[in-house]
Amino acid sequence: MSKVDREDSWLLFVAVVALAVFVVWKFAAYLGLDMAVAGPVLARLAVLVVLTGLSWRLASDIPPLGPKAVWPFLLALLWLCWWPALDFWAAKELASSSYEETLPWWAAWYTKWGLLVGLVALGYLVKKAFGRY
């Protein structure tokens, strides 16, 4: 049997942190985001993955919490995950065009909240129209 030494456990911690930083850095570079923005986006996506997995796990015990029942809510949460990136891209666009002082329509609060509510409402409407649950 092998025993993990407490003196070597910091190496695993450093490796996990380095891997996490590398993933955030590559994600940020791929989407043209800042590291300070990519971190919250990935953290929100990770929470969404956990909530989806929890929903899947609870589907047999509590059917109203299963993925078939809450997929519109999960889809709206996916949209919510990208709000920091939208704000970053909008600020980047504002910096490049000095003549316009308002946010682009796709980063404005009414678009974000309207699409969030619309995704939930339309999702449950589609579920009601085509589903039996």
Side-chain angles (χ1 to χ4, degrees), residues 50-60 62 65-68 70 74:
V50 168
L51 286 175
T52 304
L54 187 61
S55 173
W56 209 298
R57 178 86 167 112
L58 293 174
S60 61
I62 309 169
L65 293 180
K68 287 183 181 179
V70 297
L74 294 173

Side-chain angles (χ1 to χ4, degrees), residues 14-67:
V14 169
V16 168
V17 169
L19 180 65
V21 169
F22 178 74
V23 167
V24 172
W25 174 62
K26 291 303 274 184
F27 181 76
Y30 182 73
L31 293 175
L33 296 172
D34 194 352
M35 287 279 287
V37 176
V41 170
L42 275 177
R44 289 177 181 197
L45 288 171
V47 168
L48 178 63
V49 167
V50 168
L51 286 175
T52 304
L54 187 61
S55 173
W56 209 298
R57 178 86 167 112
L58 293 174
S60 61
D61 297 334
I62 309 169
L65 293 180

Side-chain angles (χ1 to χ4, degrees), residues 99-124:
Y99 65 90
E100 191 175 330
E101 295 181 15
T102 60
L103 286 174
W105 66 269
W106 45 265
W109 67 270
Y110 51 84
T111 304
K112 291 178 185 175
W113 284 100
L115 193 55
L116 184 78
V117 171
L119 282 171
V120 172
L122 189 62
Y124 279 111

Side-chain angles (χ1 to χ4, degrees), residues 84-109:
L86 289 174
D87 291 338
F88 178 79
W89 290 323
K92 209 167 154 182
E93 187 172 303
L94 281 176
S96 66
S97 63
S98 60
Y99 65 90
E100 191 175 330
E101 295 181 15
T102 60
L103 286 174
W105 66 269
W106 45 265
W109 67 270

